PDB file of all heavy atoms in Angstrom:
ATOM      1  N   ALA D 248    -180.029 117.769 -62.572  1.00  0.00           N
ATOM      2  CA  ALA D 248    -181.414 117.398 -62.227  1.00  0.00           C
ATOM      3  C   ALA D 248    -181.461 116.865 -60.808  1.00  0.00           C
ATOM      4  O   ALA D 248    -180.751 115.926 -60.478  1.00  0.00           O
ATOM      5  CB  ALA D 248    -181.940 116.361 -63.209  1.00  0.00           C
ATOM      6  N   VAL D 249    -182.307 117.455 -59.975  1.00  0.00           N
ATOM      7  CA  VAL D 249    -182.473 116.951 -58.612  1.00  0.00           C
ATOM      8  C   VAL D 249    -183.622 115.938 -58.553  1.00  0.00           C
ATOM      9  O   VAL D 249    -183.948 115.440 -57.480  1.00  0.00           O
ATOM     10  CB  VAL D 249    -182.730 118.103 -57.614  1.00  0.00           C
ATOM     11  CG1 VAL D 249    -181.572 119.066 -57.603  1.00  0.00           C
ATOM     12  CG2 VAL D 249    -184.048 118.832 -57.921  1.00  0.00           C
ATOM     13  N   ASP D 250    -184.195 115.598 -59.701  1.00  0.00           N
ATOM     14  CA  ASP D 250    -185.233 114.566 -59.763  1.00  0.00           C
ATOM     15  C   ASP D 250    -184.680 113.246 -59.194  1.00  0.00           C
ATOM     16  O   ASP D 250    -183.505 112.922 -59.391  1.00  0.00           O
ATOM     17  CB  ASP D 250    -185.675 114.302 -61.197  1.00  0.00           C
ATOM     18  CG  ASP D 250    -186.171 115.553 -61.905  1.00  0.00           C
ATOM     19  OD1 ASP D 250    -185.691 116.641 -61.582  1.00  0.00           O
ATOM     20  OD2 ASP D 250    -187.042 115.425 -62.789  1.00  0.00           O
ATOM     21  N   LEU D 251    -185.537 112.491 -58.544  1.00  0.00           N
ATOM     22  CA  LEU D 251    -185.126 111.183 -58.038  1.00  0.00           C
ATOM     23  C   LEU D 251    -184.949 110.173 -59.158  1.00  0.00           C
ATOM     24  O   LEU D 251    -184.237 109.180 -58.997  1.00  0.00           O
ATOM     25  CB  LEU D 251    -186.127 110.684 -57.009  1.00  0.00           C
ATOM     26  CG  LEU D 251    -186.269 111.565 -55.763  1.00  0.00           C
ATOM     27  CD1 LEU D 251    -187.405 111.074 -54.896  1.00  0.00           C
ATOM     28  CD2 LEU D 251    -184.978 111.588 -54.979  1.00  0.00           C
ATOM     29  N   ILE D 252    -185.617 110.401 -60.284  1.00  0.00           N
ATOM     30  CA  ILE D 252    -185.506 109.546 -61.446  1.00  0.00           C
ATOM     31  C   ILE D 252    -185.993 110.329 -62.656  1.00  0.00           C
ATOM     32  O   ILE D 252    -186.894 111.161 -62.541  1.00  0.00           O
ATOM     33  CB  ILE D 252    -186.316 108.241 -61.263  1.00  0.00           C
ATOM     34  CG1 ILE D 252    -185.987 107.220 -62.320  1.00  0.00           C
ATOM     35  CG2 ILE D 252    -187.816 108.539 -61.229  1.00  0.00           C
ATOM     36  CD1 ILE D 252    -186.540 105.833 -62.025  1.00  0.00           C
ATOM     37  N   MET D 253    -185.371 110.105 -63.787  1.00  0.00           N
ATOM     38  CA  MET D 253    -185.787 110.829 -64.989  1.00  0.00           C
ATOM     39  C   MET D 253    -187.204 110.422 -65.395  1.00  0.00           C
ATOM     40  O   MET D 253    -187.507 109.218 -65.494  1.00  0.00           O
ATOM     41  CB  MET D 253    -184.829 110.550 -66.158  1.00  0.00           C
ATOM     42  CG  MET D 253    -185.242 111.232 -67.466  1.00  0.00           C
ATOM     43  SD  MET D 253    -184.195 110.795 -68.864  1.00  0.00           S
ATOM     44  CE  MET D 253    -182.752 111.781 -68.489  1.00  0.00           C
ATOM     45  N   PRO D 254    -188.091 111.384 -65.630  1.00  0.00           N
ATOM     46  CA  PRO D 254    -189.425 111.037 -66.156  1.00  0.00           C
ATOM     47  C   PRO D 254    -189.297 110.275 -67.489  1.00  0.00           C
ATOM     48  O   PRO D 254    -188.515 110.666 -68.355  1.00  0.00           O
ATOM     49  CB  PRO D 254    -190.091 112.402 -66.353  1.00  0.00           C
ATOM     50  CG  PRO D 254    -189.357 113.319 -65.418  1.00  0.00           C
ATOM     51  CD  PRO D 254    -187.940 112.833 -65.401  1.00  0.00           C
ATOM     52  N   ARG D 255    -190.082 109.233 -67.626  1.00  0.00           N
ATOM     53  CA  ARG D 255    -189.978 108.418 -68.835  1.00  0.00           C
ATOM     54  C   ARG D 255    -190.318 109.197 -70.093  1.00  0.00           C
ATOM     55  O   ARG D 255    -189.707 108.993 -71.156  1.00  0.00           O
ATOM     56  CB  ARG D 255    -190.886 107.174 -68.701  1.00  0.00           C
ATOM     57  CG  ARG D 255    -190.315 106.128 -67.770  1.00  0.00           C
ATOM     58  CD  ARG D 255    -191.290 105.009 -67.481  1.00  0.00           C
ATOM     59  NE  ARG D 255    -192.385 105.463 -66.627  1.00  0.00           N
ATOM     60  CZ  ARG D 255    -193.271 104.643 -66.062  1.00  0.00           C
ATOM     61  NH1 ARG D 255    -193.182 103.340 -66.282  1.00  0.00           N
ATOM     62  NH2 ARG D 255    -194.221 105.103 -65.301  1.00  0.00           N
ATOM     63  N   ASP D 256    -191.269 110.109 -69.999  1.00  0.00           N
ATOM     64  CA  ASP D 256    -191.670 110.832 -71.215  1.00  0.00           C
ATOM     65  C   ASP D 256    -190.652 111.884 -71.630  1.00  0.00           C
ATOM     66  O   ASP D 256    -190.708 112.358 -72.757  1.00  0.00           O
ATOM     67  CB  ASP D 256    -193.045 111.492 -71.010  1.00  0.00           C
ATOM     68  CG  ASP D 256    -192.997 112.613 -69.997  1.00  0.00           C
ATOM     69  OD1 ASP D 256    -192.523 112.370 -68.870  1.00  0.00           O
ATOM     70  OD2 ASP D 256    -193.462 113.718 -70.312  1.00  0.00           O
ATOM     71  N   PHE D 257    -189.700 112.234 -70.768  1.00  0.00           N
ATOM     72  CA  PHE D 257    -188.682 113.215 -71.154  1.00  0.00           C
ATOM     73  C   PHE D 257    -187.819 112.696 -72.311  1.00  0.00           C
ATOM     74  O   PHE D 257    -187.224 113.482 -73.038  1.00  0.00           O
ATOM     75  CB  PHE D 257    -187.795 113.564 -69.947  1.00  0.00           C
ATOM     76  CG  PHE D 257    -188.373 114.664 -69.081  1.00  0.00           C
ATOM     77  CD1 PHE D 257    -189.707 115.017 -69.161  1.00  0.00           C
ATOM     78  CD2 PHE D 257    -187.575 115.335 -68.175  1.00  0.00           C
ATOM     79  CE1 PHE D 257    -190.242 116.019 -68.353  1.00  0.00           C
ATOM     80  CE2 PHE D 257    -188.088 116.348 -67.361  1.00  0.00           C
ATOM     81  CZ  PHE D 257    -189.428 116.686 -67.465  1.00  0.00           C
ATOM     82  N   LYS D 258    -187.729 111.368 -72.448  1.00  0.00           N
ATOM     83  CA  LYS D 258    -186.934 110.807 -73.553  1.00  0.00           C
ATOM     84  C   LYS D 258    -187.541 111.154 -74.900  1.00  0.00           C
ATOM     85  O   LYS D 258    -186.823 111.198 -75.923  1.00  0.00           O
ATOM     86  CB  LYS D 258    -186.847 109.283 -73.417  1.00  0.00           C
ATOM     87  CG  LYS D 258    -186.192 108.823 -72.116  1.00  0.00           C
ATOM     88  CD  LYS D 258    -186.390 107.309 -71.949  1.00  0.00           C
ATOM     89  CE  LYS D 258    -186.121 106.883 -70.532  1.00  0.00           C
ATOM     90  NZ  LYS D 258    -186.502 105.488 -70.272  1.00  0.00           N
ATOM     91  N   THR D 259    -188.841 111.417 -74.930  1.00  0.00           N
ATOM     92  CA  THR D 259    -189.505 111.747 -76.183  1.00  0.00           C
ATOM     93  C   THR D 259    -190.017 113.176 -76.248  1.00  0.00           C
ATOM     94  O   THR D 259    -190.579 113.573 -77.265  1.00  0.00           O
ATOM     95  CB  THR D 259    -190.704 110.798 -76.431  1.00  0.00           C
ATOM     96  OG1 THR D 259    -191.604 110.889 -75.320  1.00  0.00           O
ATOM     97  CG2 THR D 259    -190.217 109.353 -76.579  1.00  0.00           C
ATOM     98  N   THR D 260    -189.789 113.941 -75.180  1.00  0.00           N
ATOM     99  CA  THR D 260    -190.265 115.342 -75.155  1.00  0.00           C
ATOM    100  C   THR D 260    -189.111 116.296 -74.890  1.00  0.00           C
ATOM    101  O   THR D 260    -188.589 116.944 -75.819  1.00  0.00           O
ATOM    102  CB  THR D 260    -191.356 115.498 -74.077  1.00  0.00           C
ATOM    103  OG1 THR D 260    -190.853 115.043 -72.807  1.00  0.00           O
ATOM    104  CG2 THR D 260    -192.587 114.716 -74.432  1.00  0.00           C
ATOM    105  N   LEU D 261    -188.656 116.390 -73.663  1.00  0.00           N
ATOM    106  CA  LEU D 261    -187.641 117.371 -73.295  1.00  0.00           C
ATOM    107  C   LEU D 261    -186.340 117.148 -74.013  1.00  0.00           C
ATOM    108  O   LEU D 261    -185.751 118.087 -74.606  1.00  0.00           O
ATOM    109  CB  LEU D 261    -187.419 117.331 -71.765  1.00  0.00           C
ATOM    110  CG  LEU D 261    -186.298 118.248 -71.256  1.00  0.00           C
ATOM    111  CD1 LEU D 261    -186.637 119.706 -71.490  1.00  0.00           C
ATOM    112  CD2 LEU D 261    -186.017 117.990 -69.779  1.00  0.00           C
ATOM    113  N   LEU D 262    -185.810 115.914 -73.993  1.00  0.00           N
ATOM    114  CA  LEU D 262    -184.479 115.679 -74.552  1.00  0.00           C
ATOM    115  C   LEU D 262    -184.431 115.918 -76.058  1.00  0.00           C
ATOM    116  O   LEU D 262    -183.505 116.587 -76.534  1.00  0.00           O
ATOM    117  CB  LEU D 262    -184.016 114.279 -74.194  1.00  0.00           C
ATOM    118  CG  LEU D 262    -183.855 113.996 -72.691  1.00  0.00           C
ATOM    119  CD1 LEU D 262    -183.320 112.598 -72.449  1.00  0.00           C
ATOM    120  CD2 LEU D 262    -182.943 115.032 -72.037  1.00  0.00           C
ATOM    121  N   PRO D 263    -185.398 115.437 -76.839  1.00  0.00           N
ATOM    122  CA  PRO D 263    -185.352 115.775 -78.278  1.00  0.00           C
ATOM    123  C   PRO D 263    -185.466 117.274 -78.535  1.00  0.00           C
ATOM    124  O   PRO D 263    -184.823 117.785 -79.459  1.00  0.00           O
ATOM    125  CB  PRO D 263    -186.578 115.035 -78.843  1.00  0.00           C
ATOM    126  CG  PRO D 263    -186.810 113.891 -77.892  1.00  0.00           C
ATOM    127  CD  PRO D 263    -186.449 114.437 -76.556  1.00  0.00           C
ATOM    128  N   ALA D 264    -186.233 117.982 -77.689  1.00  0.00           N
ATOM    129  CA  ALA D 264    -186.351 119.433 -77.879  1.00  0.00           C
ATOM    130  C   ALA D 264    -185.031 120.133 -77.625  1.00  0.00           C
ATOM    131  O   ALA D 264    -184.656 121.080 -78.333  1.00  0.00           O
ATOM    132  CB  ALA D 264    -187.432 119.980 -76.941  1.00  0.00           C
ATOM    133  N   ILE D 265    -184.284 119.690 -76.612  1.00  0.00           N
ATOM    134  CA  ILE D 265    -182.958 120.243 -76.353  1.00  0.00           C
ATOM    135  C   ILE D 265    -182.052 120.040 -77.549  1.00  0.00           C
ATOM    136  O   ILE D 265    -181.347 120.953 -77.997  1.00  0.00           O
ATOM    137  CB  ILE D 265    -182.350 119.605 -75.092  1.00  0.00           C
ATOM    138  CG1 ILE D 265    -183.135 120.022 -73.840  1.00  0.00           C
ATOM    139  CG2 ILE D 265    -180.881 119.977 -74.939  1.00  0.00           C
ATOM    140  CD1 ILE D 265    -182.726 119.291 -72.565  1.00  0.00           C
ATOM    141  N   ARG D 266    -182.095 118.830 -78.093  1.00  0.00           N
ATOM    142  CA  ARG D 266    -181.248 118.512 -79.247  1.00  0.00           C
ATOM    143  C   ARG D 266    -181.649 119.311 -80.473  1.00  0.00           C
ATOM    144  O   ARG D 266    -180.807 119.858 -81.195  1.00  0.00           O
ATOM    145  CB  ARG D 266    -181.340 117.012 -79.531  1.00  0.00           C
ATOM    146  CG  ARG D 266    -180.439 116.536 -80.666  1.00  0.00           C
ATOM    147  CD  ARG D 266    -180.453 115.018 -80.752  1.00  0.00           C
ATOM    148  NE  ARG D 266    -181.761 114.481 -81.110  1.00  0.00           N
ATOM    149  CZ  ARG D 266    -182.562 113.826 -80.263  1.00  0.00           C
ATOM    150  NH1 ARG D 266    -182.190 113.633 -79.016  1.00  0.00           N
ATOM    151  NH2 ARG D 266    -183.743 113.360 -80.665  1.00  0.00           N
ATOM    152  N   GLU D 267    -182.951 119.427 -80.723  1.00  0.00           N
ATOM    153  CA  GLU D 267    -183.428 120.134 -81.904  1.00  0.00           C
ATOM    154  C   GLU D 267    -183.096 121.622 -81.853  1.00  0.00           C
ATOM    155  O   GLU D 267    -182.888 122.248 -82.894  1.00  0.00           O
ATOM    156  CB  GLU D 267    -184.934 119.925 -82.051  1.00  0.00           C
ATOM    157  CG  GLU D 267    -185.312 118.501 -82.449  1.00  0.00           C
ATOM    158  CD  GLU D 267    -186.781 118.199 -82.215  1.00  0.00           C
ATOM    159  OE1 GLU D 267    -187.525 119.159 -81.863  1.00  0.00           O
ATOM    160  OE2 GLU D 267    -187.200 117.033 -82.382  1.00  0.00           O
ATOM    161  N   ARG D 268    -183.048 122.182 -80.637  1.00  0.00           N
ATOM    162  CA  ARG D 268    -182.716 123.612 -80.508  1.00  0.00           C
ATOM    163  C   ARG D 268    -181.225 123.870 -80.545  1.00  0.00           C
ATOM    164  O   ARG D 268    -180.785 125.014 -80.461  1.00  0.00           O
ATOM    165  CB  ARG D 268    -183.313 124.161 -79.221  1.00  0.00           C
ATOM    166  CG  ARG D 268    -184.835 124.236 -79.259  1.00  0.00           C
ATOM    167  CD  ARG D 268    -185.390 124.693 -77.926  1.00  0.00           C
ATOM    168  NE  ARG D 268    -186.858 124.740 -77.933  1.00  0.00           N
ATOM    169  CZ  ARG D 268    -187.573 125.856 -77.776  1.00  0.00           C
ATOM    170  NH1 ARG D 268    -186.971 127.000 -77.635  1.00  0.00           N
ATOM    171  NH2 ARG D 268    -188.894 125.789 -77.776  1.00  0.00           N
ATOM    172  N   GLY D 269    -180.433 122.807 -80.631  1.00  0.00           N
ATOM    173  CA  GLY D 269    -178.995 122.971 -80.786  1.00  0.00           C
ATOM    174  C   GLY D 269    -178.247 123.399 -79.548  1.00  0.00           C
ATOM    175  O   GLY D 269    -177.157 123.973 -79.647  1.00  0.00           O
ATOM    176  N   HIS D 270    -178.798 123.131 -78.382  1.00  0.00           N
ATOM    177  CA  HIS D 270    -178.127 123.547 -77.151  1.00  0.00           C
ATOM    178  C   HIS D 270    -176.908 122.670 -76.866  1.00  0.00           C
ATOM    179  O   HIS D 270    -176.975 121.444 -76.973  1.00  0.00           O
ATOM    180  CB  HIS D 270    -179.088 123.452 -75.955  1.00  0.00           C
ATOM    181  CG  HIS D 270    -180.198 124.443 -76.002  1.00  0.00           C
ATOM    182  ND1 HIS D 270    -179.971 125.806 -76.108  1.00  0.00           N
ATOM    183  CD2 HIS D 270    -181.556 124.293 -75.976  1.00  0.00           C
ATOM    184  CE1 HIS D 270    -181.132 126.440 -76.124  1.00  0.00           C
ATOM    185  NE2 HIS D 270    -182.119 125.547 -76.062  1.00  0.00           N
ATOM    186  N   ASP D 271    -175.821 123.307 -76.493  1.00  0.00           N
ATOM    187  CA  ASP D 271    -174.594 122.595 -76.105  1.00  0.00           C
ATOM    188  C   ASP D 271    -174.527 122.569 -74.593  1.00  0.00           C
ATOM    189  O   ASP D 271    -173.776 123.308 -73.974  1.00  0.00           O
ATOM    190  CB  ASP D 271    -173.387 123.299 -76.710  1.00  0.00           C
ATOM    191  CG  ASP D 271    -172.087 122.548 -76.442  1.00  0.00           C
ATOM    192  OD1 ASP D 271    -172.171 121.339 -76.085  1.00  0.00           O
ATOM    193  OD2 ASP D 271    -171.007 123.148 -76.548  1.00  0.00           O
ATOM    194  N   TRP D 272    -175.305 121.720 -73.980  1.00  0.00           N
ATOM    195  CA  TRP D 272    -175.421 121.660 -72.533  1.00  0.00           C
ATOM    196  C   TRP D 272    -174.798 120.373 -71.995  1.00  0.00           C
ATOM    197  O   TRP D 272    -174.645 119.380 -72.709  1.00  0.00           O
ATOM    198  CB  TRP D 272    -176.888 121.673 -72.105  1.00  0.00           C
ATOM    199  CG  TRP D 272    -177.596 122.975 -72.359  1.00  0.00           C
ATOM    200  CD1 TRP D 272    -177.020 124.168 -72.696  1.00  0.00           C
ATOM    201  CD2 TRP D 272    -179.013 123.205 -72.317  1.00  0.00           C
ATOM    202  NE1 TRP D 272    -178.002 125.133 -72.850  1.00  0.00           N
ATOM    203  CE2 TRP D 272    -179.234 124.563 -72.620  1.00  0.00           C
ATOM    204  CE3 TRP D 272    -180.116 122.401 -72.044  1.00  0.00           C
ATOM    205  CZ2 TRP D 272    -180.491 125.142 -72.650  1.00  0.00           C
ATOM    206  CZ3 TRP D 272    -181.386 122.951 -72.087  1.00  0.00           C
ATOM    207  CH2 TRP D 272    -181.578 124.313 -72.383  1.00  0.00           C
ATOM    208  N   THR D 273    -174.445 120.410 -70.724  1.00  0.00           N
ATOM    209  CA  THR D 273    -174.044 119.219 -69.981  1.00  0.00           C
ATOM    210  C   THR D 273    -175.037 119.010 -68.861  1.00  0.00           C
ATOM    211  O   THR D 273    -175.259 119.916 -68.048  1.00  0.00           O
ATOM    212  CB  THR D 273    -172.614 119.382 -69.401  1.00  0.00           C
ATOM    213  OG1 THR D 273    -171.699 119.636 -70.468  1.00  0.00           O
ATOM    214  CG2 THR D 273    -172.198 118.128 -68.647  1.00  0.00           C
ATOM    215  N   ILE D 274    -175.637 117.826 -68.802  1.00  0.00           N
ATOM    216  CA  ILE D 274    -176.752 117.573 -67.886  1.00  0.00           C
ATOM    217  C   ILE D 274    -176.464 116.313 -67.091  1.00  0.00           C
ATOM    218  O   ILE D 274    -175.951 115.316 -67.610  1.00  0.00           O
ATOM    219  CB  ILE D 274    -178.077 117.411 -68.658  1.00  0.00           C
ATOM    220  CG1 ILE D 274    -178.368 118.679 -69.493  1.00  0.00           C
ATOM    221  CG2 ILE D 274    -179.245 117.126 -67.708  1.00  0.00           C
ATOM    222  CD1 ILE D 274    -179.552 118.530 -70.440  1.00  0.00           C
ATOM    223  N   PHE D 275    -176.803 116.369 -65.799  1.00  0.00           N
ATOM    224  CA  PHE D 275    -176.790 115.182 -64.932  1.00  0.00           C
ATOM    225  C   PHE D 275    -178.218 114.734 -64.687  1.00  0.00           C
ATOM    226  O   PHE D 275    -179.105 115.539 -64.476  1.00  0.00           O
ATOM    227  CB  PHE D 275    -176.145 115.487 -63.582  1.00  0.00           C
ATOM    228  CG  PHE D 275    -176.430 114.405 -62.546  1.00  0.00           C
ATOM    229  CD1 PHE D 275    -175.646 113.279 -62.469  1.00  0.00           C
ATOM    230  CD2 PHE D 275    -177.498 114.533 -61.660  1.00  0.00           C
ATOM    231  CE1 PHE D 275    -175.920 112.275 -61.534  1.00  0.00           C
ATOM    232  CE2 PHE D 275    -177.784 113.542 -60.726  1.00  0.00           C
ATOM    233  CZ  PHE D 275    -176.996 112.407 -60.663  1.00  0.00           C
ATOM    234  N   TYR D 276    -178.419 113.404 -64.686  1.00  0.00           N
ATOM    235  CA  TYR D 276    -179.738 112.869 -64.358  1.00  0.00           C
ATOM    236  C   TYR D 276    -179.586 111.513 -63.642  1.00  0.00           C
ATOM    237  O   TYR D 276    -178.669 110.751 -63.946  1.00  0.00           O
ATOM    238  CB  TYR D 276    -180.602 112.658 -65.605  1.00  0.00           C
ATOM    239  CG  TYR D 276    -181.878 113.471 -65.579  1.00  0.00           C
ATOM    240  CD1 TYR D 276    -182.112 114.489 -66.501  1.00  0.00           C
ATOM    241  CD2 TYR D 276    -182.852 113.229 -64.617  1.00  0.00           C
ATOM    242  CE1 TYR D 276    -183.284 115.239 -66.480  1.00  0.00           C
ATOM    243  CE2 TYR D 276    -184.021 113.988 -64.581  1.00  0.00           C
ATOM    244  CZ  TYR D 276    -184.227 114.984 -65.503  1.00  0.00           C
ATOM    245  OH  TYR D 276    -185.389 115.725 -65.472  1.00  0.00           O
ATOM    246  N   GLU D 277    -180.477 111.245 -62.702  1.00  0.00           N
ATOM    247  CA  GLU D 277    -180.610 109.902 -62.162  1.00  0.00           C
ATOM    248  C   GLU D 277    -181.554 109.118 -63.065  1.00  0.00           C
ATOM    249  O   GLU D 277    -182.610 109.632 -63.463  1.00  0.00           O
ATOM    250  CB  GLU D 277    -181.173 109.940 -60.729  1.00  0.00           C
ATOM    251  CG  GLU D 277    -180.201 110.494 -59.716  1.00  0.00           C
ATOM    252  CD  GLU D 277    -180.633 110.237 -58.284  1.00  0.00           C
ATOM    253  OE1 GLU D 277    -181.048 109.099 -58.004  1.00  0.00           O
ATOM    254  OE2 GLU D 277    -180.584 111.162 -57.493  1.00  0.00           O
ATOM    255  N   VAL D 278    -181.159 107.890 -63.380  1.00  0.00           N
ATOM    256  CA  VAL D 278    -181.937 107.065 -64.303  1.00  0.00           C
ATOM    257  C   VAL D 278    -182.036 105.653 -63.755  1.00  0.00           C
ATOM    258  O   VAL D 278    -181.338 105.280 -62.826  1.00  0.00           O
ATOM    259  CB  VAL D 278    -181.274 107.031 -65.706  1.00  0.00           C
ATOM    260  CG1 VAL D 278    -181.195 108.423 -66.318  1.00  0.00           C
ATOM    261  CG2 VAL D 278    -179.877 106.404 -65.641  1.00  0.00           C
ATOM    262  N   LYS D 279    -182.904 104.883 -64.360  1.00  0.00           N
ATOM    263  CA  LYS D 279    -182.971 103.436 -64.068  1.00  0.00           C
ATOM    264  C   LYS D 279    -182.023 102.737 -65.033  1.00  0.00           C
ATOM    265  O   LYS D 279    -181.900 103.117 -66.191  1.00  0.00           O
ATOM    266  CB  LYS D 279    -184.396 102.936 -64.228  1.00  0.00           C
ATOM    267  CG  LYS D 279    -184.613 101.545 -63.638  1.00  0.00           C
ATOM    268  CD  LYS D 279    -186.110 101.256 -63.508  1.00  0.00           C
ATOM    269  CE  LYS D 279    -186.356  99.813 -63.140  1.00  0.00           C
ATOM    270  NZ  LYS D 279    -185.702  99.407 -61.895  1.00  0.00           N
ATOM    271  N   ALA D 280    -181.362 101.678 -64.578  1.00  0.00           N
ATOM    272  CA  ALA D 280    -180.271 101.078 -65.323  1.00  0.00           C
ATOM    273  C   ALA D 280    -180.728 100.228 -66.492  1.00  0.00           C
ATOM    274  O   ALA D 280    -179.883  99.728 -67.247  1.00  0.00           O
ATOM    275  CB  ALA D 280    -179.384 100.246 -64.383  1.00  0.00           C
ATOM    276  N   ASN D 281    -182.012 100.036 -66.689  1.00  0.00           N
ATOM    277  CA  ASN D 281    -182.484  99.157 -67.764  1.00  0.00           C
ATOM    278  C   ASN D 281    -182.721  99.908 -69.074  1.00  0.00           C
ATOM    279  O   ASN D 281    -183.561  99.506 -69.881  1.00  0.00           O
ATOM    280  CB  ASN D 281    -183.761  98.420 -67.345  1.00  0.00           C
ATOM    281  CG  ASN D 281    -184.906  99.376 -67.011  1.00  0.00           C
ATOM    282  OD1 ASN D 281    -184.711 100.598 -66.979  1.00  0.00           O
ATOM    283  ND2 ASN D 281    -186.075  98.828 -66.769  1.00  0.00           N
ATOM    284  N   LEU D 282    -181.984 100.980 -69.299  1.00  0.00           N
ATOM    285  CA  LEU D 282    -182.125 101.739 -70.538  1.00  0.00           C
ATOM    286  C   LEU D 282    -181.637 100.934 -71.728  1.00  0.00           C
ATOM    287  O   LEU D 282    -180.665 100.185 -71.646  1.00  0.00           O
ATOM    288  CB  LEU D 282    -181.316 103.053 -70.441  1.00  0.00           C
ATOM    289  CG  LEU D 282    -181.827 104.085 -69.433  1.00  0.00           C
ATOM    290  CD1 LEU D 282    -180.828 105.206 -69.289  1.00  0.00           C
ATOM    291  CD2 LEU D 282    -183.179 104.640 -69.874  1.00  0.00           C
ATOM    292  N   ARG D 283    -182.288 101.145 -72.862  1.00  0.00           N
ATOM    293  CA  ARG D 283    -181.845 100.531 -74.113  1.00  0.00           C
ATOM    294  C   ARG D 283    -180.770 101.428 -74.752  1.00  0.00           C
ATOM    295  O   ARG D 283    -180.659 102.600 -74.446  1.00  0.00           O
ATOM    296  CB  ARG D 283    -183.031 100.334 -75.061  1.00  0.00           C
ATOM    297  CG  ARG D 283    -184.079  99.386 -74.521  1.00  0.00           C
ATOM    298  CD  ARG D 283    -185.156  99.093 -75.559  1.00  0.00           C
ATOM    299  NE  ARG D 283    -185.927 100.291 -75.898  1.00  0.00           N
ATOM    300  CZ  ARG D 283    -187.013 100.680 -75.234  1.00  0.00           C
ATOM    301  NH1 ARG D 283    -187.461  99.983 -74.217  1.00  0.00           N
ATOM    302  NH2 ARG D 283    -187.663 101.767 -75.601  1.00  0.00           N
ATOM    303  N   ARG D 284    -180.012 100.827 -75.682  1.00  0.00           N
ATOM    304  CA  ARG D 284    -178.941 101.604 -76.325  1.00  0.00           C
ATOM    305  C   ARG D 284    -179.492 102.846 -77.004  1.00  0.00           C
ATOM    306  O   ARG D 284    -178.902 103.929 -76.884  1.00  0.00           O
ATOM    307  CB  ARG D 284    -178.193 100.732 -77.328  1.00  0.00           C
ATOM    308  CG  ARG D 284    -177.123 101.530 -78.101  1.00  0.00           C
ATOM    309  CD  ARG D 284    -176.453 100.699 -79.169  1.00  0.00           C
ATOM    310  NE  ARG D 284    -175.342  99.937 -78.670  1.00  0.00           N
ATOM    311  CZ  ARG D 284    -174.114 100.430 -78.479  1.00  0.00           C
ATOM    312  NH1 ARG D 284    -173.866 101.700 -78.750  1.00  0.00           N
ATOM    313  NH2 ARG D 284    -173.148  99.665 -78.050  1.00  0.00           N
ATOM    314  N   ALA D 285    -180.590 102.711 -77.721  1.00  0.00           N
ATOM    315  CA  ALA D 285    -181.148 103.862 -78.432  1.00  0.00           C
ATOM    316  C   ALA D 285    -181.525 104.981 -77.458  1.00  0.00           C
ATOM    317  O   ALA D 285    -181.372 106.173 -77.777  1.00  0.00           O
ATOM    318  CB  ALA D 285    -182.368 103.438 -79.236  1.00  0.00           C
TER     319      ALA D 285
END
C-alpha cells in the first residue's frame, strides 16, 4: 500500500472482505501506532 495511512474504515470493509474470500496475501500498510489488539 502506497497510502500514507490506512483508511480507518478499511478495518471493517476491505480487510474483512479479503479474509472472507480466503485470499492468502501478504500486505504492507502504514498505520497509526494506537491500534487495539483486536
